[in-house]
């Protein structure tokens, strides 16, 4: 069952940061009290405090790559301001190693281009130049403010400005609206640090306006809340509740990566965001209200899905999408009898829904081709025998990776049930599969005969050719002693004779 957790429970790393910050605050407070008690100003001590703050700030990025430091210095030597900004400052404050560094500067894009040897005009119209340093690329964006938004997603215009604070004001959340450089230390005009300590996601400025400007921010709010185990500020949450339907203005290409991160890292938050996913997966909201009164389940369909995602053993997006969708067919197939809820053949309905969803979200073709069968067969458990190996790998034509993904999906699903009995069947087939998955032959090109042999030694034509080879392959898989060319040719001829006989019989029956 999912339950509300505080950020402290969820994130030990975040916790570490909180204790260090509160320790620091406590020390500061202690010092202030002492000063008050003394009743006079101790100049030296004040200086020491100041020094400590600077020291603290310059310590914020102990591992800042030299190449990035040099970019900042070059910009400053040129008379401009340069700050690390956004995600890297937030993560450093949380005591996490930033995964990349973004810089914001008062220099215009053309100036940035002129100052550095290797640059890429990544988003020059919006002020972003990528500077190649010896420590990798860094995005340098000119301070900017944004004009009006008329499509809930893109500003109509972008103006470059000279004031850092104006640039921070256009950013989405207070925790993402902090900047830092070694001389100034932390610049935090909207209380980002406090919100990090409290564990709050709060829009910068008026949340209604900010989400009206760009509806994607609503999804980002959940992504950050999920990632850090933070709570939404009530006004921010209220604005999302009101504006959720405007999310449909956002291109699915922007939606998908946000949702994917949530599915893989913080599925718990999904029960709060069904309204945001409604344009593409309206079933999620219905699943939240679909109870499962049966011995197999302990919660409603959506919370079962969330728990299954939490148990997914891989970070594979196709498997995560499959689990999100695996029981979407339950509301439509629900029946109540014998005192229990039943969802017969829900996987068939889920497959239909999954086909619609992968299209609506424009998921990559290869990924969709995995999601659909994973949804369809999530509830099928195979006995450990060669016939089933043949069924999956040859008849269905599943590659090895897909079979392994099915195991992951089934494991997640089982672990989110009231009993885990099915683990035994899953493990039995898994062990069998691991031992047998590389046996030869397991594909047509591993047979000792081929299509030409069929044409030369039999009278078979058209689809019957592959049917004959399929039969031969099946027999050789089930009877390994047949793995010689002679035995396979003999088998082919017997099969051909049978197929021809069957066809003749069928023709006679149709005539009669
Ligand atoms: P992550 O760790 O996921 O990369 P991030 O905060 O770096 O998080 P990015 O999408 O890389 O997120 O954006 C970098 C910064 O740009 C953010 O920290 C935020 O200040 C700003 N930003 C990004 N997207 C938006 C948006 N839609 N609206 C307003 N500000 C945004
Ligand atoms: Mg980033």
């Amino acid at each position: 069952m999912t339950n509300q957790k505080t950020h402290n429970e969820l994130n030990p790393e975040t916790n570490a940061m909180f204790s260090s910050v509160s320790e620091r605050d406590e020390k500061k407070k202690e010092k202030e009290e002492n000063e008050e008690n003394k009743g006079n100003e101790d100049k030296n001590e004040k200086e020491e405090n100041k020094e400590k703050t600077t020291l603290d700030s310059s310590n914020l990025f102990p591992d800042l790559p030299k190449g990035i430091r040099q970019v900042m210095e070059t910009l400053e030597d040129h008379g401009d301001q340069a700050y690390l900004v956004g995600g890297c400052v937030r993560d450093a404050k949380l005591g996490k190693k930033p995964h990349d560094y973004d810089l914001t500067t008062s220099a215009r894009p053309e100036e940035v281009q002129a100052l550095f040897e290797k640059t890429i005009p990544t988003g020059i119209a919006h002020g972003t130049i990528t500077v190649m340093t010896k420590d990798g690329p860094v995005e340098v964006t000119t301070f900017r403010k944004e004009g009006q938004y008329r499509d809930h997603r893109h500003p109509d215009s972008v103006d470059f400005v000279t004031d850092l604070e104006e640039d921070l004001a256009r950013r989405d959340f207070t925790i993402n609206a902090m900047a830092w450089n070694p001389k100034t230390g932390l610049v935090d005009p909207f209380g980002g640090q406090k919100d990090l300590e409290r564990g709050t996601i709060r829009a910068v400025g008026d949340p209604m306006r900010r989400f009206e400007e760009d509806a994607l921010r609503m999804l980002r709010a959940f992504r950050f809340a999920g990632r850090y185990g933070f709570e939404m500020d009530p006004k921010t949450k209220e604005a999302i509740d009101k504006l959720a339907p405007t999310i449909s203005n956002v291109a699915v290409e922007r939606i998908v990566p946000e949702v994917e991160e949530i599915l893989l890292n913080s599925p718990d938050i999904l029960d709060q965001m069904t309204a945001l996913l409604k344009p593409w997966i309206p079933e999620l909201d219905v699943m939240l209200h679909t109870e499962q009164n049966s011995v197999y389940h302990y919660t409603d369909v959506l919370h079962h899905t969330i728990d299954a995602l939490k148990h997914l053993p891989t970070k594979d997006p196709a498997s995560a999408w499959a689990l999100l969708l695996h029981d979407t067919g339950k509301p439509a197939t629900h029946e109540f009898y014998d005192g229990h809820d039943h969802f017969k053949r829900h996987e068939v309905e889920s497959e239909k829904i999954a086909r619609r969803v992968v299209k609506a979200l424009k998921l990559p073709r290869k990924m969709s081709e995995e999601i659909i069968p994973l949804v369809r067969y999530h509830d099928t458990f195979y006995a450990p025998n060669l016939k089933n190996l043949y069924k999956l790998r040859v008849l269905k034509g599943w590659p090895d990776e897909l079979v392994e993904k099915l195991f992951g999906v089934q494991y997640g699903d089982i672990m989110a049930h009231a009993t885990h009995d099915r683990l035994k069947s899953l493990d039995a087939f898994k062990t069998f599969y691991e031992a047998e998955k590389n046996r030869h032959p397991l594909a047509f090109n591993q047979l000792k005969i081929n299509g030409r042999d069929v044409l030369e030694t039999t009278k078979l034509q058209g689809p019957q050719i592959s049917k004959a080879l399929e039969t031969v392959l099946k027999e050789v898989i089930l009877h390994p002693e047949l793995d010689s060319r002679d035995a396979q040719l003999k088998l082919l001829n017997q099969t051909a004779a049978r197929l021809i006989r069957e066809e003749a019989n069928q023709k006679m029956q149709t005539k009669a």
Side-chain angles (χ1 to χ4, degrees):
M1 215 19 187
T2 45
N3 46 19
Q4 289 282 351
K5 287 185 183 160
T6 67
H7 52 264
N8 298 23
E9 273 175 86
L10 276 174
N11 260 321
E13 271 182 80
T14 319
N15 236 353
M17 170 263 168
F18 287 133
S19 49
S20 68
V21 170
S22 54
E23 252 169 43
R24 224 168 30 232
D25 280 355
E26 252 174 78
K27 275 190 194 145
K28 223 168 121 191
K29 220 167 137 196
E30 211 174 276
K31 208 156 242 173
E32 280 165 12
E33 277 168 9
N34 285 343
E35 271 182 34
E36 259 174 41
N37 289 346
K38 268 196 266 167
N40 61 8
E41 272 183 52
D42 184 339
K43 220 178 167 192
N44 284 341
E45 203 170 339
K46 266 200 162 176
E47 280 306 315
E48 202 184 302
N49 257 346
K50 215 172 171 187
E51 229 174 72
K52 266 192 187 156
T53 326
T54 335
L55 204 82
D56 268 352
S57 300
S58 56
N59 259 346
L60 191 55
F61 288 92
D63 303 322
L64 183 63
K66 215 168 156 199
I68 291 168
R69 205 174 277 270
Q70 278 167 354
V71 173
M72 295 172 87
E73 280 164 11
T74 306
L75 286 162
E76 283 174 348
D77 290 348
H78 181 251
D80 278 299
Q81 303 167 55
Y83 290 86
L84 287 168
V85 72
C88 62
V89 179
R90 176 197 67 222
D91 287 345
K93 273 276 153 199
L94 285 169
K96 289 167 181 272
K97 194 176 162 8
H99 57 81
D100 56 14
Y101 298 91
D102 291 325
L103 285 177
T104 183
T105 181
S106 54
R108 297 298 176 105
E110 318 79 62
E111 292 176 285
V112 177
Q113 279 178 312
L115 276 174
F116 300 97
E117 219 172 282
K118 277 194 212 147
T119 60
I120 303 168
T122 323
I124 194 162
H126 296 98
T128 304
I129 303 289
T130 301
V131 176
M132 308 304 286
T133 78
K134 63 177 176 8
D135 294 313
V138 57
E139 281 195 356
V140 181
T141 305
T142 304
F143 295 164
R144 65 177 208 218
K145 67 174 189 198
E146 287 157 2
Q148 275 206 328
Y149 284 71
R150 256 170 287 174
D151 64 354
H152 301 281
R153 177 64 199 127
H154 304 97
D156 298 343
S157 62
V158 163
D159 289 324
F160 297 134
V161 294
T162 49
D163 181 16
L164 170 65
E165 217 167 287
E166 262 190 278
D167 180 87
L168 294 176
R170 67 152 175 106
R171 294 173 183 271
D172 47 8
F173 306 109
T174 59
I175 61 167
N176 289 345
M178 295 186 280
W180 178 92
N181 84 11
K183 290 197 192 93
T184 319
L186 189 73
V187 182
D188 177 19
F190 304 106
Q193 187 168 221
K194 263 241 149 64
D195 281 337
L196 275 183
E197 286 171 41
R198 277 193 286 242
T200 302
I201 303 294
R202 183 195 314 275
V204 171
D206 172 18
M208 281 297 282
R209 220 195 86 207
R210 304 313 309 285
F211 296 136
E212 263 162 3
E213 288 172 352
D214 178 359
L216 183 69
R217 289 175 189 151
M218 297 188 282
L219 205 47
R220 286 173 60 88
F222 283 109
R223 173 158 70 84
F224 290 116
R227 189 198 281 177
Y228 301 119
F230 283 9
E231 297 289 327
M232 216 73 86
D233 167 70
K235 284 220 172 86
T236 296
K237 179 77 177 59
E238 205 181 297
I240 295 180
D241 288 344
K242 282 195 187 130
L243 294 172
T246 63
I247 191 77
S248 58
N249 292 292
V250 181
V252 288
E253 289 79 358
R254 313 300 297 260
I255 302 283
V256 166
E258 302 287 336
V259 178
E260 237 162 64
E261 187 186 321
I262 291 168
L263 296 181
L264 290 170
N265 299 318
S266 46
D268 258 331
I269 199 108
L270 283 168
D271 60 353
Q272 295 178 48
M273 44 186 289
T274 54
L276 279 186
L277 295 175
K278 209 168 186 168
W280 304 279
I281 325 179
E283 289 79 7
L284 295 179
D285 189 48
V286 191
M287 285 153 70
L288 186 57
H289 305 105
T290 306
E291 292 299 332
Q292 308 184 88
N293 173 12
S294 86
V295 287
Y296 308 113
H297 285 281
Y298 55 86
T299 186
D300 61 84
V301 181
L302 187 67
H303 284 103
H304 157 73
T305 299
I306 290 172
D307 286 353
L309 279 162
K310 282 160 78 174
H311 283 103
L312 180 65
T314 68
K315 289 281 179 200
D316 170 55
S319 308
W321 283 109
L323 267 187
L324 179 73
L325 300 170
H326 80 285
D327 276 354
T328 46
K330 278 192 169 173
T333 52
H334 175 245
E335 284 173 289
F336 185 85
Y337 54 83
D338 296 342
H340 292 295
D341 293 312
H342 300 265
F343 307 93
K344 267 199 208 140
R345 293 187 62 74
H346 67 274
E347 65 277 10
V348 176
E349 189 62 28
S350 298
E351 182 196 349
K352 280 189 209 152
I353 294 166
R355 284 187 188 279
R356 191 203 72 221
V357 172
V358 298
K359 235 192 213 158
L361 290 176
K362 299 187 189 156
L363 296 184
R365 213 183 75 186
K366 184 172 178 299
M367 199 200 276
S368 306
E369 283 171 1
E370 292 185 336
I371 295 170
I372 305 295
L374 289 174
V375 170
R376 174 64 182 81
Y377 294 101
H378 75 268
D379 217 22
T380 306
F381 288 85
Y382 296 94
N385 58 44
L386 288 167
K387 218 168 158 181
N388 281 330
L389 185 69
Y390 164 79
K391 205 177 203 175
L392 282 172
R393 293 286 294 273
V394 182
L395 269 192
K396 291 195 198 300
W398 287 21
D400 186 28
E401 310 86 71
L402 186 55
V403 180
E404 313 243 346
K405 285 181 186 188
L406 180 70
F407 295 154
V409 165
Q410 293 188 323
Y411 176 81
D413 188 21
I414 294 172
M415 295 308 284
H417 276 81
T419 65
H420 304 156
D421 295 353
R422 276 176 152 184
L423 270 188
K424 270 190 225 119
S425 341
L426 175 60
D427 281 344
F429 185 60
K430 225 166 121 178
T431 310
F432 171 80
Y433 181 81
E434 285 304 318
E436 300 291 343
K437 68 177 182 188
N438 294 322
R439 69 183 284 123
H440 278 250
L442 207 51
F444 293 109
N445 61 8
Q446 292 166 350
L447 278 176
K448 300 225 158 52
I449 56 168
N450 57 30
R452 185 185 295 168
D453 293 311
V454 186
L455 288 175
E456 282 174 2
T457 67
T458 75
K459 293 198 173 97
L460 295 179
Q461 286 173 344
Q464 282 199 325
I465 298 175
S466 55
K467 219 172 176 182
L469 283 173
E470 230 168 67
T471 309
V472 174
L473 182 56
K474 182 179 177 184
E475 288 304 311
V476 184
I477 291 173
L478 299 184
H479 307 283
E481 67 276 10
L482 297 177
D483 196 18
S484 71
R485 184 166 161 79
D486 278 353
Q488 291 178 16
L489 277 173
K490 201 168 152 200
L491 199 55
L492 172 65
N493 284 301
Q494 285 166 356
T495 307
R498 181 174 56 80
L499 287 174
I500 288 168
R501 219 168 36 238
E502 277 173 11
E503 197 178 38
N505 281 346
Q506 223 166 27
K507 268 187 193 152
M508 290 237 296
Q509 271 172 10
T510 354
K511 261 190 199 161

